Amino acid sequence: MKKVLVIGAGIGGCATAIEFAQIGYQVTVLEKLKTIFTEGAGICLYSNALKSLDALSVLPEVLAAGASFNGATEFLDNTSTLIGTVKY
């Protein structure tokens, strides 16, 4: 069996580990932190991320654990002129 080592158990490392496991690799994930915690910055997942999680067959679990919200982020240039808005 082919083996792969993934460094970091953040969202990117976990997604990578899932993908390799689904295509038949034996996966080892290394994380520098000694404990798992859920505190920290919130993660906003846009449609491209949700499509990727769906392709990994973990989207239902992610949606069940999360919460949806409506809002927008406005982006300003160095003169405080609005240059774009991302709605979610």
Side-chain angles (χ1 to χ4, degrees), residues 2-6 13-27 56:
K2 294 179 182 179
K3 298 178 182 180
V4 67
L5 175 65
V6 177
C14 287
T16 300
I18 291 167
E19 181 70 18
F20 273 110
Q22 287 180 344
I23 60 174
Y25 282 76
Q26 179 182 335
V27 180
L56 293 170

Side-chain angles (χ1 to χ4, degrees), residues 32-81:
K32 68 180 177 180
L33 298 178
K34 300 203 184 311
T35 59
I36 297 173
F37 63 93
T38 58
E39 296 81 17
I43 298 174
C44 294
L45 300 174
Y46 294 98
S47 59
N48 58 334
L50 297 176
K51 288 177 187 175
S52 296
L53 292 168
D54 189 35
L56 293 170
S57 301
V58 296
L59 182 59
E61 291 88 349
V62 171
L63 293 176
S68 63
F69 60 95
N70 293 318
T73 300
E74 293 183 337
F75 295 91
L76 310 175
D77 66 12
N78 62 342
T79 65
S80 297
T81 300

Side-chain angles (χ1 to χ4, degrees), residues 6-16 29-31:
V6 177
I7 307 297
I11 192 167
C14 287
T16 300
V29 179
L30 296 181
E31 172 57 50

